[in-house]
Amino acid sequence: MKFFLLDIPLVQPEYGLMFWMLVTFLTVLFLLKKFAWGPILNMLKEREDLIEDSLNRAAKAKEEIKDLQNTNEKMLQEARAERDNLLKEAREAKESIINEAKNKAKTEADRLITGARDQINTEKMAAITELKNQIAVLSIEIAEKIVRENLSSDEAQKKLAANYVNELKLN
Amino acid sequence: MLNRKQLNSHPKLNFMFSSPKMLSFSSNVKRVLFIFCMIFFSSFISAETPELNTETGKKFNAGEMILEHVQDAHSWHLTGHFSVPLPMILKTDKGFEFFSSSVFLNEEHEQTEIYLSPISGYRFKLFHEHLKIVTENGEIDEPAMKSSGLLDFSITKNVFSLLFGSALMCWIFISVASTYRRRSGKSPKGLQSLIEPLIIFVRDDIAKTSIGPKYLRYMPFLLTVFFFIWINNLLGLIPFIPGGANLTGSISVTLVLAALTFIITLISSNGHYWRHIFAMPGVPVGVLFILTPIEILGLFLRPFVLMVRLFANITAGHIIAMAFYSLIFIFGEMNAGAGFGVSIVSLAFTIFMFVMELLVAFLQAYVFTLLSAMYFGSAVEEGHHAEESNAH
């Protein structure tokens, strides 16, 4: 008993065509495998690898740039801190120098003032001594003059001499 | 990863009508012209058939005409009385014989003559394109058929189309490969940019997803099958020589393709594959008595279905297209006006069918390749025994 469908020549395979199909297909498969698919697939793979590699490298470069930026930022901050530090130190140095100078000046001034005062005192004492001497001289001169006036008479000279004699006795 | 998939899927989705170049205006015009040319030529070819028949007093037989178109032939019918004879290659017990199929033609250009071979002394005659040894009065000589061991390796219409398509394929892909070599490391150009998305599509969406890490071994077969089916499907849609043969819609061709898939599956199958067929792990022994026969049946059913699907889809497409044409002549025989009126509707339907067939041409190539890849994938799959014992 036959199936109804199998009677149609359309569904009956023909060995001639099958033979040619097998031979041709296998030949095409072999030829294309050797001369087309192999090279094409290799090239595609190479290109994809290249693209992936490039992308990876780009990402890496980006990372590196980021690192670099971080380093720069860090360096900048360090530099800024350094500068601040330096400024601070300079300010302190300045203050200390000024203070020192002030102190020195003050001590010097004090010393000078004390010196001056001492000198003034010495001068004063000298002046006073001088004055005293002057006064003594002047007094003597004045006294001399007075005495000369008063002793113009013999009587007055006798009287004075008598006075001195009295005084001398008292002493 | 996702991005890259999306990028790939873009050309894949549109590639048929798409690459930006093809969308350009002039190409569109060309394509429309091309389709109209085809329709014009096809109607021309078909128009001759009923004329011929009216001359000989026969009525137009749509079924005969369609079957004649869909089946293989020993000559390539172009138009009316004109057809291209094809070479006959025979093997008998007297050796090989080569002659032209034109020896079978009578004055009316019908294949009815008996050819007496000077080499083997046999008389040959074609019965519905099947070569037979006949007696002097034209009856099939069964004893001679048996004793001669007649084998017909003629270059038929389908074989010619097969050789042409294969040569075209080799030319396309070898030239594309040389473009790759020449433009190594650069972006694709020309034909290369049409082919590349398809190759990547077959590799990434068919082979890699279905087969897994061992996909590279199967790439040449999958790519060849994919482009073989697609290109020959498209050639079959061109209604004039060298296209128009129903090659991928011929069961001999799909049988060979399916058989190759089956053989490759068997060769690459591992223990895990056979264990799943004969003793599905984790299934009770009683159930195995039912399951194993089904699995064994499935083993053969898969390539069988592959064979039938491609054959039926392509043949059906050709039959429907021809049927729409036949409508014109069926109505034309009743009344010239009716024939003319129906021809407009018929043409509209045929254009629709043609566009459909363009889609089917690709779809069937895709389905055949995908299923082949899935069968290879199941054959090379490594079992995860630890998981399996838990899962089943």
Side-chain angles (χ1 to χ4, degrees):
Chain A
M1 194 183 132
K2 273 184 180 177
F3 284 111
F4 154 74
L5 263 175
L6 292 181
D7 284 342
I8 304 174
L10 207 58
V11 294
Q12 290 163 356
E14 283 156 44
Y15 58 89
L17 182 54
M18 279 172 67
F19 164 78
W20 284 110
M21 171 63 193
L22 190 65
V23 170
T24 315
F25 187 83
L26 290 180
T27 313
V28 169
L29 179 61
F30 173 76
L31 281 178
L32 290 186
K33 184 182 177 180
K34 194 146 197 248
F35 297 112
W37 307 136
I40 290 175
L41 288 173
N42 278 344
M43 295 283 172
L44 279 179
K45 181 98 177 52
E46 264 171 42
R47 199 166 69 207
E48 275 163 12
D49 286 350
L50 182 78
I51 290 170
E52 196 162 322
D53 198 40
S54 303
L55 285 176
N56 282 345
R57 267 188 300 187
K60 217 170 152 190
K62 214 171 156 188
E63 202 76 8
E64 271 168 17
I65 286 172
K66 215 173 163 187
D67 279 357
L68 215 65
Q69 272 176 340
N70 282 344
T71 319
N72 279 351
E73 188 73 14
K74 216 169 148 191
M75 276 167 76
L76 205 69
Q77 269 174 358
E78 273 171 14
R80 208 170 280 149
E82 181 96 13
R83 188 199 64 185
D84 288 349
N85 217 9
L86 280 176
L87 278 177
K88 203 175 144 201
E89 272 172 17
R91 208 173 288 132
E92 278 169 7
K94 183 191 78 180
E95 303 246 303
S96 78
I97 288 169
I98 290 173
N99 283 342
E100 209 177 311
K102 262 187 194 162
N103 289 341
K104 237 180 191 170
K106 209 177 164 198
T107 2
E108 186 71 18
D110 285 350
R111 196 176 62 79
L112 284 177
I113 288 168
T114 323
R117 204 169 278 148
D118 288 351
Q119 210 171 350
I120 289 169
N121 268 344
T122 322
E123 294 288 319
K124 197 173 87 185
M125 293 316 278
I128 287 170
T129 317
E130 182 79 20
L131 203 61
K132 272 183 185 164
N133 291 342
Q134 286 284 331
I135 287 169
V137 171
L138 280 177
S139 302
I140 290 166
E141 275 177 15
I142 290 167
E144 208 177 66
K145 271 176 190 173
I146 292 168
V147 167
R148 213 166 271 163
E149 288 276 318
N150 287 345
L151 293 182
S152 46
S153 60
D154 286 344
E155 242 177 275
Q157 278 183 12
K158 284 174 187 169
K159 196 184 167 187
L160 188 62
N163 271 352
Y164 280 135
V165 172
N166 289 339
E167 263 171 47
L168 277 172
K169 279 178 185 169
L170 283 169
N171 276 341
Chain B
M1 191 67 204
L2 192 75
N3 267 336
R4 249 193 65 220
K5 268 223 142 146
Q6 282 168 344
L7 277 177
N8 279 345
S9 71
H10 181 65
K12 169 185 54 181
L13 278 175
N14 318 328
F15 77 92
M16 218 173 185
F17 304 98
S18 75
S19 96
K21 239 188 247 164
M22 287 181 84
L23 272 176
S24 73
F25 177 68
S26 68
S27 293
N28 265 335
V29 171
K30 262 189 226 158
R31 197 175 323 117
V32 171
L33 273 180
F34 177 65
I35 292 171
F36 271 103
C37 276
M38 279 180 179
I39 286 152
F40 174 74
F41 274 107
S42 334
S43 3
F44 192 53
I45 292 166
S46 318
E48 295 299 332
T49 320
E51 233 175 84
L52 183 74
N53 288 340
T54 42
E55 268 171 27
T56 52
K58 273 188 269 173
K59 283 213 100 187
F60 171 64
N61 186 336
E64 209 171 82
M65 191 272 276
I66 291 170
L67 275 183
E68 189 188 293
H69 165 85
V70 165
Q71 277 175 42
D72 207 357
H74 281 281
S75 64
W76 204 310
H77 183 241
L78 296 183
T79 157
H81 294 310
F82 189 65
S83 58
V84 180
L86 293 167
M88 306 287 295
I89 303 171
L90 310 180
K91 163 88 173 66
T92 58
D93 52 348
K94 308 276 192 329
F96 281 99
E97 277 190 67
F98 305 91
F99 54 93
S100 162
S101 72
S102 60
V103 297
F104 296 112
L105 297 180
N106 63 8
E107 297 84 27
E108 310 262 286
H109 283 260
E110 291 166 327
Q111 290 179 338
T112 53
E113 290 292 285
I114 298 169
Y115 171 67
L116 174 62
S117 163
I119 300 167
S120 60
Y122 290 119
R123 285 184 176 79
F124 297 110
K125 189 172 189 267
L126 287 173
F127 289 91
H128 291 283
E129 300 294 348
H130 284 282
L131 189 78
K132 300 279 179 293
I133 295 174
V134 292
T135 56
E136 263 177 80
N137 48 21
E139 281 158 9
I140 299 173
D141 190 351
E142 290 293 352
M145 286 283 287
K146 282 210 176 80
S147 63
S148 67
L150 174 68
L151 290 174
D152 180 4
F153 291 115
S154 303
I155 306 295
T156 58
K157 188 178 170 183
N158 275 343
V159 174
F160 181 83
S161 177
L162 168 74
L163 295 175
F164 176 80
S166 303
L168 184 70
M169 246 181 104
C170 287
W171 176 72
I172 289 175
F173 293 107
I174 292 174
S175 77
V176 166
S178 83
T179 317
Y180 269 99
R181 232 176 269 121
R182 209 170 50 246
R183 295 176 51 80
S184 163
K186 292 184 192 160
S187 56
K189 195 184 171 194
L191 193 58
Q192 193 190 1
S193 50
L194 176 73
I195 298 302
E196 185 172 310
L198 291 171
I199 293 177
I200 292 176
F201 169 66
V202 172
R203 188 192 62 182
D204 292 352
D205 293 83
I206 296 179
K208 271 188 191 169
T209 49
S210 313
I211 301 175
K214 290 176 183 162
Y215 77 96
L216 207 58
R217 271 169 67 194
Y218 302 96
M219 278 308 287
F221 178 76
L222 292 176
L223 283 169
T224 313
V225 160
F226 178 79
F227 286 107
F228 181 88
I229 296 175
W230 190 41
I231 287 175
N232 281 307
N233 280 350
L234 291 180
L235 280 177
L237 291 178
I238 303 173
F240 45 85
I241 198 161
N246 186 23
L247 181 68
T248 39
S250 116
I251 198 127
S252 319
V253 168
T254 61
L255 188 144
V256 170
L257 287 174
L260 286 174
T261 296
F262 185 53
I263 291 166
I264 295 174
T265 311
L266 291 187
I267 290 173
S268 42
S269 59
N270 54 18
H272 178 255
Y273 178 71
W274 292 108
R275 204 162 33 251
H276 268 255
I277 287 172
F278 287 111
M280 183 73 84
V283 174
V285 183
V287 181
L288 275 183
F289 281 107
I290 307 165
L291 199 60
T292 305
I294 292 174
E295 286 285 340
I296 293 170
L297 192 67
L299 189 70
F300 295 99
L301 218 55
R302 283 180 211 154
F304 181 78
V305 167
L306 268 187
M307 170 184 86
V308 171
R309 182 186 296 109
L310 181 59
F311 156 75
N313 268 286
I314 304 305
T315 302
H318 280 246
I319 289 176
I320 291 172
M322 295 306 282
F324 278 126
Y325 283 129
S326 305
L327 276 184
I328 302 175
F329 303 108
I330 291 168
F331 281 92
E333 274 185 347
M334 293 181 204
N335 180 320
F340 185 75
V342 169
S343 73
I344 296 168
V345 183
S346 260
L347 273 187
F349 269 112
T350 314
I351 292 170
F352 170 71
M353 278 310 298
F354 185 81
V355 176
M356 278 279 287
E357 285 303 304
L358 277 179
L359 183 69
V360 169
F362 175 76
L363 210 64
Q364 287 307 318
Y366 168 63
V367 167
F368 196 101
T369 317
L370 179 70
L371 288 174
S372 295
M374 281 167 70
Y375 300 155
F376 300 157
S378 70
V380 297
E381 193 191 1
E382 295 293 345
H384 306 286
H385 295 286
E387 278 175 41
E388 235 166 44
S389 51
N390 294 333
H392 286 289

